[in-house]
Amino acid sequence: MADCIFCRIVKGELPAQIVYETESVIAFRDLHAQAPTHVLVIPRRHIATLNDLMPEDASLMGEMVLAAQAVAHQEGIADQGYRTIMNCNLAGGQTVYHIHLHVLGGRQMTWPPG
């Protein structure tokens, strides 16, 4: 997707503070951080929403979760605790239509999230 901001980050066309990457996923700091640690884990391949996932994407989703775990350890928030969130479509709070897993920590999270 030529106009997708996350695809442009993956291609190196836009700057991002990358904190973790593999062949399939990349993780970078959110520009609009909602917690002291706020990292986005995205697949390198464009998938617009959770509704667009296919059964063959199961391992990719697992890799995204393992990347979130690795980021939490790397950022020093794993033992204290952290939150992971994926939003889907407008009412779910999705603002960039390229699936992404938020990793938030460094403060006490509240419930409900809002």
Side-chain angles (χ1 to χ4, degrees):
M1 303 297 294
D3 60 342
C4 173
I5 190 168
F6 289 173
C7 287
R8 294 184 66 202
I9 289 171
V10 168
K11 292 177 187 174
E13 296 174 357
L14 291 176
Q17 190 175 355
I18 297 168
V19 298
Y20 180 89
E21 58 185 315
T22 69
E23 270 188 37
S24 303
V25 303
I26 187 170
F28 52 90
R29 298 201 187 283
D30 193 310
L31 289 177
H32 305 288
Q34 301 299 306
T37 298
H38 190 167
V39 173
L40 302 177
V41 178
I42 69 167
R44 290 181 184 273
R45 180 171 52 91
H46 184 86
I47 302 170
T49 75
L50 289 172
N51 292 336
D52 297 306
L53 289 169
M54 303 301 284
E56 55 269 22
D57 295 319
S59 64
L60 176 62
M61 293 305 295
E63 187 171 348
M64 289 177 68
V65 172
L66 291 174
Q69 177 194 58
V71 165
H73 282 285
Q74 179 180 301
E75 296 289 317
I77 61 172
D79 291 339
Q80 176 185 1
Y82 58 100
R83 176 172 287 164
T84 58
I85 301 168
M86 291 188 84
N87 302 319
C88 185
N89 283 327
L90 185 61
Q94 187 174 6
T95 57
V96 176
Y97 285 82
H98 183 127
I99 62 169
H100 51 286
L101 178 62
H102 296 260
V103 181
L104 299 120
R107 69 169 171 82
Q108 180 64 49
M109 298 292 143
T110 59
W111 196 263

